[in-house]
Amino acid sequence: AKVHELLLTADVFINVPILKHHGSSKVTIGMKNLMGVVWDRGYWHRNDLHQCIADFASYRKPDLTIVDAYYVMKQNGPRGTSKEDVLTMKSQIVSTDIVAADAAAAKLFGLEPDEIPYIKMADQMKLGRKNLDALSINRIRL
């Protein structure tokens, strides 16, 4: 895949996805957001989208993933059709483990991580951990 050259030369890579519904992958979170640096995203859609998402996460994992879940598009994503598609959740997930960030965001969205094939695949590929019970998680309320 052709990849944006800044991703290849950056000293630090911070991924800031917006949590939202997506018709093809169920949700867009950290790993799915990485499609934004790939030239031919259509290829991924035609060739096992979920496997392509998991595979690309093995190529260059972000140093930090910050999931913006303040306003979450719960349906009709990725573009939405009305304000009713969006729920105010006022949340944020921050992790150096993109798989853990995606797993936590999936749960926040109302899905189990195993319901999102690319999260399950990335966990099986040992790109991170989807089992949140095995992690030390700090919940901060402001």
Side-chain angles (χ1 to χ4, degrees):
K2 286 185 181 179
V3 177
H4 197 290
E5 69 181 85
L6 291 177
L7 179 74
L8 305 175
T9 60
D11 294 330
V12 176
F13 175 27
I14 300 173
N15 185 19
V16 187
I18 296 171
L19 177 59
K20 63 184 171 183
H21 173 260
H22 191 278
S24 298
S25 61
K26 294 190 183 181
V27 288
T28 293
I29 319 174
M31 287 183 279
K32 168 75 171 61
N33 193 54
L34 297 180
M35 286 181 70
V37 299
V38 175
W39 176 256
D40 186 6
R41 292 180 292 278
Y43 176 86
W44 288 21
H45 283 278
R46 295 185 306 272
N47 292 279
D48 194 350
L49 175 63
H50 289 276
Q51 188 65 62
C52 287
I53 292 169
D55 287 346
F56 192 77
S58 73
Y59 177 67
R60 172 84 196 261
K61 286 191 281 188
D63 298 293
L64 185 67
T65 297
I66 303 169
V67 180
D68 178 349
Y70 196 92
Y71 296 113
V72 177
M73 183 175 298
K74 292 286 288 181
Q75 59 192 14
N76 298 315
R79 292 191 176 110
T81 57
S82 70
K83 287 193 256 182
E84 286 72 38
D85 294 339
V86 179
L87 179 65
T88 302
M89 299 188 88
K90 297 182 181 180
S91 297
Q92 189 176 67
I93 297 168
V94 181
S95 181
T96 56
D97 180 336
I98 193 170
V99 179
D102 281 13
K107 288 180 93 51
L108 184 65
F109 194 84
L111 299 168
E112 288 301 315
D114 281 343
E115 293 180 69
I116 314 301
Y118 67 81
I119 295 175
K120 188 174 181 178
M121 290 172 180
D123 179 72
Q124 290 169 342
M125 294 167 66
K126 304 208 181 314
L127 300 177
R129 298 174 68 184
K130 71 173 173 63
N131 181 1
L132 301 178
D133 294 334
L135 302 175
S136 173
I137 298 174
N138 295 317
R139 289 179 173 86
I140 302 168
R141 295 192 189 274
L142 299 175

